[in-house]
Amino acid sequence: MERLWRFETSAVHAGYDPDPHTRSVAMPIYQTAAFAFDDTQHSADLFDGKAEGFIYSRLGNPTVQALEQRVNTLEQGVGALALGSGQAAVAATFMTIAGVGDNIVAASSLYGTTYGLLAYTLPQYGIQANFFEYRDLDRCEQLIDDNTKAIFCESIANPSGHVADLAAMAELAHRHGLPLIVDNTIATPYLCRPFEHGADIVVHSMTKYMGGHGATLGGVVVDAGRFPWTNHSGRFPKLTRPDESSHGKIFTEAYGDAAFIGRCTEVQLRTMGAVLPPTSACMIAMGIETLAVRMDRICFNAGIVGRFLLEHPAVSWVSYPALPNHPDHERAKQYMGGRASGVLSFGIKGGCEAGARLQDALTLIRRSTNIGDCKTLVCHPASTTHRKLSPEDLRKSGVSEELVRLSVGIEHIEDLLTDLDQALYQCVA
Ligand SMILES: *Cc1c(COP(=O)(O)O)cnc(C)c1O
């Protein structure tokens, strides 16, 4: 039934009906580690999967499940799994299909920690990553070999703002019998639904726009349920052959279309344990109720801030895919109706020193490395997150000394422009 409602309606209602015990209208927080069995037979039925219900909150919790169903409805998948952070979701996704000797082919425009996971952490467990420049799909194709398990990209990359050509990447992946995995954190399903463009798995940091208030960490994996794992059975033994870590279960037989999310739940979450707390799940689910109205306001504000900065004498360049001057603007139109969420970057004249001065001169806009909050946030990477990097390494990581990143929030636009204008004035003065 939920799928019949429009996005805004599902965001408010999907995943939760007033519970039968109390008729609570707001989603209740089931703050419990475990659930009681009626009797021995009941526990046996639960463990055998013959009865629906809950056993232990690492294996499932009603509040977390309600959030999962809400996100699954918004992304239009066959199943979703919430985890303790975006990073946990990204890591669990790769580990669900890749093991020793395997590799992931990934666009290099990535969130820094995801880049670190692929370039340094997963190799310690035998999973390699090969990177391509996000527009160079010929290179992407060259990197695919017999041990490749997936192609990965961010729909709007953090912090570069690069917009991936999802349809072309999905076509390429499927031609090679591979799934396309997309991190949809910055775009959110309100602006972009990667499954509509051929993606097979979507991951999110719900810490950002989904939760929307900068108060709770969380991540989620969503399975489109369309990838034909059994047609490429030799390549995906973790899904198509008996799995020791799950009593010899064959996930494609046990879960059908939802084999990927089934293994991610039963093996990755159950044994690695990156659980999302029920209180966090409730807060994120509540945040999602206002996702559509927040994103409308954020896109509106960011567009005006972008055009204001473009004309400002203290600013040398502005990078925001919703602006016509951005090299990925056509893609923003193709995949997001010309909108581009709230992350934009610009160059401040005067380099590193001016960037630091601007950051300090802001009075309303908060200095923070986070994004996706209702509050507008600023980060000057060269003097904060990237301060240990040499000018050369800064350039390589795509972060110039003068780069300032804004995550535009939902405040009144005039107040944002006033704060930016007074701070920029102090930098040129
Ligand atoms: C923040 C972020 C992550 C990591 O999420 P956490 O919730 O901080 O673990 C992953 N991908 C993208 C694009 C992000 O912005």
Side-chain angles (χ1 to χ4, degrees), residues 207-209 211-214 294 298 343 370-374 377 407:
T207 313
K208 316 293 170 54
Y209 293 97
H213 297 74
R294 280 187 287 110
I298 283 170
V343 178
N370 198 16
I371 60 166
D373 201 323
C374 285
L377 308 174
S407 170

Side-chain angles (χ1 to χ4, degrees), residues 37-51 55:
F37 306 125
D38 295 341
D39 50 32
T40 309
Q41 187 60 46
H42 181 218
S43 81
D45 289 346
L46 285 169
F47 276 108
D48 291 346
K50 289 183 190 146
I55 298 170

Side-chain angles (χ1 to χ4, degrees), residues 107 132-137 140 151 153-156 162-173 180 182 192 194 197-199 328 330-332 334-336:
F132 63 96
E133 200 270 341
Y134 77 111
R135 284 168 302 198
D136 192 351
L137 296 193
C140 172
I151 295 180
C153 68
E154 296 177 359
S155 44
I156 301 180
H162 294 155
V163 181
D165 191 348
L166 298 177
M169 290 177 71
E171 189 277 324
L172 191 159
L180 175 66
V182 177
C192 175
H197 307 290
D328 293 337
E330 285 306 313
R331 287 198 192 145
Q334 184 181 349
Y335 296 115
M336 295 173 287

